[in-house]
Amino acid sequence: MSTIIGHYIAGEIHVPQGGRTGPIFNPSTGEEIARCAYGDQATMDQAVQAATEAARKWSQTSHATRIAVMYKLRELMIAATDELAEVIGREHGKTIADAKGEIGRAIEGIEFATNEPHVTKGEFSVNVGGGIDVFSMRVPVGVVGCITPFNFPIMVPMVMMGMAIAVGNAIVWKPSEKVPGAAMILARLLKEAGLPEGVFNIVHGDKVVVDALLEHPGIAAVSFVGSTGVGEYVYQKGTANNKRVASFTGGKNHMVVMPDADLDAAAGAFVSAGFGSASQRCMAVSLLLPVGEQTAVKLRELVIEKIKALHVGPYNDPKADFGAVISAQSKAAVEKAIAEAIDAGAELVMDGRGIRIPGHDNGYYIGPTLFDHVTMDMTFYKEEIFGPARGIMRAATLDEAIAITNAHDYGNGSVIFTRDGKSAHRFMSEVEAGMIGVNVPVPLPVSYFNFGGLRRSKFGDGHLYGPDAARFYTKFKTVSQRWPDAAAAPAAVSLAFNPVSDKS
Ligand code: NAD
């Protein structure tokens, strides 16, 4: 019988007897390795109750106490890197090196969370009139619901939740049911770091749990990362239930290359940012957009050469550049997108379908696939393809490249490669993307800058991490206070509307 990964509520693991469960696969082999418990309304009620009770006390602890937990967690995460990377690789299919890269980013998120006393400092004005001082305090929102995707089992959750916890909230987290192992390690590490029971809770599952979370009156704010369709639904349902919602969704990131760029460096950047993690990153470069036919011809040759050197393999093969995609369904969806692009008239330059990895015949592998002459009317251009199939387009001028980039529904990351400051400046001014790279292929901001896309890559006006995330997880209370002189004559009764103002 398979092991069942249970929920984590009030510091205890709950493995339900009976009830729904779902399979967890090892994408490198295609084997079912465990099952994940799927919660329901009752599980959500239990978790929110535990979180509500814990939030009351946790929000009253000192900043020093809260950030001490974050410092300890940082140490524990560093010590647990190998264990975490193994679990992430096994459940996700990404290479161990890639998993360690994401753990490093998760740790950066914790490091920034130790700055919470600074980023949540309030405002104070002395004697606004009549001896009254006014100040605004940022206080935690209460219980935060977090919903995360499969593609970053530890980085996305940690950059999201680190700050939410550090500012004094409690969490109910629904991880991706495809990769729940890292969540359980994190629960253990947070307990060891001294986080009080109930501040951090996990309810596993699918849409049933997401709906229970979005409808629960005990949850004040929801942070979501995942695909655009689901993210829009979460935003609409969450806000309809009067919650503050920040929803970070899909991307289709364009990489513009100017004729003056270092083409070899640009080709290398495209291949690494395009195919890393089997292209299962919201910041992956999807489309290469050379400016000028000559640039396109030269880049295409350089890109082909570099793709030929890529090695696909299981997560624990140290030679592998990237591994399997997450599921059999995902593999089928990517293969369908490839077939549609061929039918639509794109030129298939390299075909990764049918790749065989010796000893891993049932793994969900697709080799690197490259199209040229992708055009804006094609589904291959319009939709996010979460697997290793990338495309080359054509633009005659920078104006056209900017117009193509801006015509897309998504605006997560967009990048330009050039040696010309003026082109770079125009690009960053005119392109409607939340994160822009200049000679940087994956412009994922460091933890102390705000992360978030524009257009249909984000719903709501919060940010996933950075100073603005600390604001999302807190609310203002504004206090007007006066300490009258006890010896003074009692104030006369006044029905005036603005007794504070010195103006007559
Ligand atoms: P997904 O939308 O399928 O799942 C995300 C979460 O929503 C999971 O916890 C899942 O269980 C839940 N969910 C799935 N279907 C649901 C439904 N119908 N109703 C309610 N909840 C549902 O996304 P995924 O496949 O796990 O992750 C990949 C997607 O996430 C890609 O689109 C990628 O671009 C996006 N992503 C975005 C960012 C970003 O910061 N913008 C970062 C990482 C991933």
Side-chain angles (χ1 to χ4, degrees):
M1 229 183 81
S2 285
T3 312
I4 298 178
I5 295 199
H7 313 295
Y8 181 78
I9 299 173
E12 301 294 333
I13 294 173
H14 296 250
V15 181
Q17 302 302 310
R20 290 188 315 137
T21 61
I24 304 163
F25 292 101
N26 175 346
S28 301
T29 62
E31 284 163 320
E32 182 177 317
I33 48 176
R35 296 197 67 83
C36 183
Y38 282 12
D40 55 17
Q41 184 68 54
T43 333
M44 184 54 63
D45 287 345
Q46 209 186 337
V48 175
Q49 192 187 338
T52 307
E53 283 164 21
R56 218 171 286 128
K57 289 193 199 132
W58 180 240
S59 65
Q60 298 301 318
T61 55
S62 68
H63 291 279
T65 301
R66 285 186 256 128
I67 67 173
V69 171
M70 291 293 136
Y71 278 115
K72 185 70 190 159
L73 176 64
R74 177 184 177 277
E75 274 173 40
L76 294 169
M77 287 262 299
I78 291 170
T81 294
D82 287 344
E83 180 193 2
L84 272 165
E86 170 63 27
V87 169
I88 292 171
R90 194 164 58 227
E91 292 181 356
H92 176 286
K94 66 173 71 177
T95 64
I96 293 288
D98 197 14
K100 287 188 176 173
E102 92 156 274
I103 295 164
R105 283 291 193 145
I107 291 168
E108 282 178 30
I110 299 167
E111 287 164 356
F112 182 60
T114 64
N115 289 291
E116 75 77 24
H118 175 64
V119 281
T120 58
K121 270 193 306 219
E123 298 163 350
F124 197 106
S125 287
V126 178
N127 195 9
V128 297
I132 294 175
D133 300 335
V134 177
F135 59 93
S136 279
M137 310 181 280
R138 283 197 170 274
V139 296
V141 293
V143 179
V144 178
C146 296
I147 305 160
T148 55
F150 81 83
N151 67 324
F152 285 108
I154 195 73
M155 179 188 81
V156 163
M158 212 53 249
V159 296
M160 177 190 276
M161 297 187 298
M163 185 58 86
I165 294 172
V167 301
N169 296 297
I171 302 289
V172 176
W173 174 26
K174 197 214 82 66
S176 167
E177 67 279 26
K178 297 180 180 120
V179 291
M184 303 316 283
I185 297 176
L186 185 59
R188 190 191 80 214
L189 300 183
L190 277 164
K191 194 173 196 172
E192 279 172 40
L195 190 74
E197 286 172 5
V199 175
F200 176 80
N201 306 278
I202 299 170
V203 181
H204 294 291
D206 54 5
K207 185 177 189 305
V208 172
V209 173
V210 171
D211 284 341
L213 187 156
L214 295 172
E215 285 164 7
H216 205 294
I219 290 186
V222 176
S223 191
F224 170 90
V225 176
S227 58
T228 297
V230 179
E232 186 172 22
Y233 168 79
V234 165
Y235 179 76
Q236 288 176 350
K237 195 175 175 79
T239 51
N241 282 295
N242 299 321
K243 297 178 200 319
R244 176 184 286 210
V245 182
S247 181
F248 307 91
T249 54
K252 189 84 182 180
N253 307 312
H254 294 49
M255 174 171 163
V256 172
V257 181
M258 297 299 286
D260 60 43
D262 176 340
L263 296 189
D264 193 54
F270 171 68
V271 173
S272 56
F275 292 99
S277 208
S279 314
Q280 297 173 115
R281 293 179 182 145
C282 70
M283 293 290 280
V285 170
S286 309
L287 296 165
L288 182 61
L289 189 47
V291 172
E293 187 58 27
Q294 279 309 306
T295 318
V297 170
K298 285 187 218 154
L299 257 181
R300 171 178 156 145
E301 286 317 306
L302 289 165
V303 163
I304 291 172
E305 205 181 287
K306 290 179 198 301
I307 292 178
K308 280 187 180 154
L310 292 179
H311 181 79
V312 181
Y315 77 96
N316 50 4
D317 174 356
K319 292 193 299 303
D321 292 298
F322 69 81
V325 295
I326 185 69
S327 63
Q329 291 85 336
S330 180
K331 182 179 174 188
V334 176
E335 288 177 345
K336 182 165 170 266
I338 294 171
E340 279 171 3
I342 296 169
D343 288 348
E347 179 196 350
L348 182 60
V349 180
M350 299 183 81
D351 189 354
R353 292 172 298 176
I355 188 173
R356 282 208 55 225
I357 309 297
H360 293 78
D361 286 338
N362 297 322
Y364 313 133
Y365 297 98
I366 305 169
T369 299
L370 183 69
F371 282 99
D372 197 357
H373 301 286
V374 173
T375 52
M376 290 168 73
D377 53 327
M378 295 177 184
T379 310
F380 191 86
Y381 161 83
K382 291 179 189 155
E383 289 185 0
E384 180 182 46
I385 295 172
F386 228 50
R390 311 284 87 177
I392 305 178
M393 299 180 78
R394 294 287 195 286
T397 60
L398 177 58
D399 280 340
E400 196 190 347
I402 291 174
I404 291 173
T405 307
N406 281 341
H408 205 281
D409 275 354
Y410 295 140
N412 217 33
S414 296
V415 302
I416 185 168
F417 273 67
T418 182
R419 287 190 171 103
D420 174 39
K422 194 153 176 279
S423 303
H425 190 263
R426 271 203 58 205
F427 188 82
M428 70 180 83
S429 313
E430 293 177 28
V431 163
E432 273 293 300
M435 293 162 285
I436 293 180
V438 176
N439 300 317
V440 172
V442 183
L444 184 74
V446 287
S447 60
Y448 41 96
F449 279 85
N450 294 319
F451 174 103
L454 294 176
R455 293 182 272 164
R456 288 178 63 75
S457 293
K458 186 177 82 156
F459 299 87
D461 60 3
H463 283 86
L464 179 60
Y465 63 76
D468 196 53
R471 291 176 206 120
F472 179 77
Y473 293 127
T474 51
K475 59 190 176 190
F476 267 131
K477 277 187 184 173
T478 302
V479 178
S480 303
Q481 71 173 2
R482 174 193 274 149
W483 297 103
D485 183 350
V493 171
S494 167
L495 302 194
F497 179 60
N498 191 6
V500 160
S501 173
D502 289 338
K503 291 186 209 118
S504 54

